[in-house]
Amino acid sequence: MLTAFARAFKTPDLRKKLLFTLGIIVLYRLGAHIPVPGVSYENVQICVDQASDGNNSLFGLVNMFSGGALLQITIFALGIMPYITASIILQLLTVVIPRLEALKKEGQSGTAKITQYTRYLTVALAILQGTGLVATARSGALFSGCPVANQIVPNQSIFTTVVMVITMTAGTAAVMWLGELITDRGIGNGMSILMFISIAASFPAALWAIKESGKLADGWIEFITVILIGFVMVGLVVFVEQAQRRVPVQYAKRMIGRRSYGGTSTYIPLKVNQAGVIPVIFASSLLYIPALIVQFSNSTAGWATWIQDHFVKGDHPYYIATYFLLIVFFAFFYVAISFNPEEVADNMKKYGGFIPGIRAGRPTAEYLSYVLNRITWPGSLYLGLIALVPTMALAGFGGANQNFPFGGTSILIIVGVGLETVKQIESQLQQRNYEGFLR
């Protein structure tokens, strides 16, 4: 593998792409440490240091996607979360709105138009989320329990608030631009790479926190145990993410003039985890809503106390069961809207393709739906179990919080992006050296 890395850097155009990607990553991480104007950096550091786990469970998901920049209130505090949300919304609306569905079928020009809509929606969501973050920081709710939480934004004038929101929105637009630059001139998908870097940046601090809070052999037993669990988790995720059901497809021969076309055999690859990490993000976001309502309402009513006890801490059986069921539901929901068996069956029939033993048309669509439902069950259960690893770690290790490094959304994204990037580098090397990245 090291030889393959050396060979990649010896190839001039591939070396340029790799160095360009590394340069963008450095700029992104630099922006994640520049505070927003109007924020007291000293008070922010005091609150971060005094927090019990160095994080806030309520904003844990967004903070993870921003590489820790959210709670530091930097210019890249919102990270790529607005873009991810906008992309998911547009993908869901494509199924509902005929105009967007027509654009999707137009090919490259339609995709470019949908991308433009995604950018506009990203900016709008960044303004909304930036306003919410500034309001939360001004009220002191961002760091509940910190003595200087109300002094994070010393000047609470309207001008300062507007400047902070504009700066964060501009930061989100810059992150979106950097991601598109990586996609055009670098290696891999730009947004995925930035997401990968944001999550990986929090790994060393999370692992060291587990070691510092451990009790066996100065924390080294817990530290080594978590590392071993991490290797097992990575192996499991790689195994399931690569698993797929290959449905064989045969294309009949067609005579056009004196030439025959078709007659080839191929397959439809149906992944076990067809939905990816989307169900986990949906379920996490939905479960944050009750906690947000309680935090901003400041109510002492019975319903608020019940939500505080059962859905805020994250280790209650009600929370675990609801989280697991939501992930399973969203896995089936997302697969249902992203893969249309009837459309696939119609395309196969149009070009003379058929599944051996299955009639073309409606029987093919029913067969594909049957196979998809069968493989989605283990995929959704696997997603639910992976997402619950941080909760189990919370019970097993005192220093492991809900952002336990080897579990949940983080490990799924890191492994998925890592595999995809390695495949791209491998294809680039095979074009030039006829030898893969991994032997």
Side-chain angles (χ1 to χ4, degrees):
M1 188 175 73
L2 294 176
T3 307
F5 268 117
R7 194 164 59 248
F9 274 95
K10 286 180 181 176
T11 309
D13 53 343
L14 192 55
R15 182 174 65 242
K16 283 182 180 178
K17 290 183 177 181
L18 289 170
L19 292 176
F20 181 82
T21 304
L22 291 174
I24 295 295
I25 288 171
V26 170
L27 284 176
Y28 176 65
R29 290 306 301 160
L30 182 65
H33 290 85
I34 300 175
V36 169
V39 173
S40 173
Y41 183 75
E42 294 79 7
N43 292 337
V44 169
Q45 295 305 311
I46 290 172
C47 289
V48 170
D49 293 339
Q50 287 189 1
S52 59
D53 56 1
N55 208 336
N56 188 319
S57 61
L58 186 61
F59 301 96
L61 182 71
V62 185
N63 190 55
M64 180 187 69
F65 280 122
S66 65
L70 175 77
L71 296 182
Q72 302 279 353
I73 318 180
T74 64
I75 59 173
F76 289 169
L78 302 178
I80 55 173
M81 200 62 182
Y83 184 85
I84 295 171
T85 309
S87 301
I88 293 172
I89 291 172
L90 260 296
Q91 197 166 4
L92 295 175
L93 289 178
T94 303
V95 184
V96 180
I97 301 176
R99 167 64 178 161
L100 292 177
E101 190 175 0
L103 282 175
K104 188 179 180 182
K105 293 179 180 178
E106 285 182 6
Q108 190 173 359
S109 60
T111 305
K113 200 72 176 175
I114 292 176
T115 303
Q116 196 69 20
Y117 292 155
T118 306
R119 291 171 183 161
Y120 295 148
L121 185 58
T122 300
V123 173
L125 288 173
I127 294 172
L128 185 65
Q129 293 181 13
T131 305
L133 178 59
V134 172
T136 308
R138 287 175 54 177
S139 66
L142 189 62
F143 295 99
S144 54
C146 179
V148 293
N150 293 322
Q151 303 172 21
I152 288 178
V153 184
N155 184 0
Q156 299 192 0
S157 64
I158 296 177
F159 178 76
T160 304
T161 303
V162 170
V163 169
M164 292 176 69
V165 172
I166 291 175
T167 304
M168 289 183 186
T169 305
T172 300
V175 168
M176 185 169 54
W177 178 61
L178 292 176
E180 291 180 357
L181 282 179
I182 292 178
T183 304
D184 293 340
R185 303 182 185 180
I187 289 289
N189 181 282
M191 294 301 172
S192 300
I193 294 289
L194 295 182
M195 197 188 308
F196 177 95
I197 295 301
S198 298
I199 297 170
S202 63
F203 268 45
L207 288 171
W208 193 250
I210 292 172
K211 188 265 173 190
E212 288 294 313
S213 60
K215 299 177 181 178
L216 301 175
D218 291 334
W220 287 109
I221 300 294
E222 288 89 343
F223 182 80
I224 294 171
T225 304
V226 169
I227 294 291
L228 293 177
I229 291 173
F231 280 116
V232 174
M233 293 293 300
V234 170
L236 174 65
V237 172
V238 169
F239 178 76
V240 179
E241 290 296 321
Q242 298 287 80
Q244 57 183 221
R245 168 74 184 273
R246 296 182 176 182
V247 179
V249 178
Q250 182 74 34
Y251 284 93
K253 285 187 178 180
R254 293 179 296 166
M255 294 297 296
I256 301 177
R258 295 184 178 182
R259 293 187 178 184
S260 68
Y261 295 88
T264 58
S265 297
T266 181
Y267 60 87
I268 301 174
L270 298 177
K271 295 181 67 176
V272 172
N273 181 22
Q274 191 85 1
V277 75
I278 300 297
V280 181
I281 296 175
F282 275 15
S284 302
S285 303
L286 203 61
L287 280 177
Y288 280 144
I289 294 174
L292 278 172
I293 293 172
V294 171
Q295 183 153 355
F296 286 114
S297 66
N298 292 323
S299 176
T300 57
W303 65 269
T305 306
W306 190 86
I307 291 177
Q308 188 78 22
D309 294 338
H310 294 80
F311 284 93
V312 174
K313 294 181 180 179
D315 56 353
H316 195 277
Y318 285 0
Y319 179 91
I320 294 172
T322 307
Y323 191 30
F324 185 83
L325 292 175
L326 280 174
I327 289 173
V328 173
F329 168 76
F330 281 123
F332 277 92
F333 173 75
Y334 190 77
V335 168
I337 66 169
S338 62
F339 185 89
N340 189 349
E342 294 182 0
E343 185 179 345
V344 174
D346 289 342
N347 289 334
M348 287 170 54
K349 186 177 181 180
K350 189 187 299 181
Y351 294 103
F354 62 94
I355 299 172
I358 307 294
R359 278 184 162 189
R362 186 172 180 179
T364 299
E366 292 176 350
Y367 177 76
L368 289 174
S369 298
Y370 170 73
V371 172
L372 199 61
N373 284 333
R374 288 191 65 185
I375 65 172
T376 303
W377 270 114
S380 61
L381 295 176
Y382 144 81
L383 276 178
L385 291 174
I386 291 292
L388 289 177
V389 167
T391 306
M392 293 184 283
L394 183 67
F397 302 97
N401 53 38
Q402 283 188 314
N403 289 320
F404 178 72
F406 297 110
T409 317
S410 58
I411 198 70
L412 290 169
I413 292 174
I414 280 195
V415 172
V417 175
L419 287 172
E420 191 63 33
T421 306
V422 165
K423 284 179 183 177
Q424 286 210 20
I425 298 176
E426 184 178 8
S427 65
Q428 296 269 351
L429 286 174
Q430 284 179 341
Q431 289 176 6
R432 296 162 177 80
N433 302 300
Y434 303 100
E435 191 171 348
F437 186 69
L438 301 175
R439 297 181 183 179

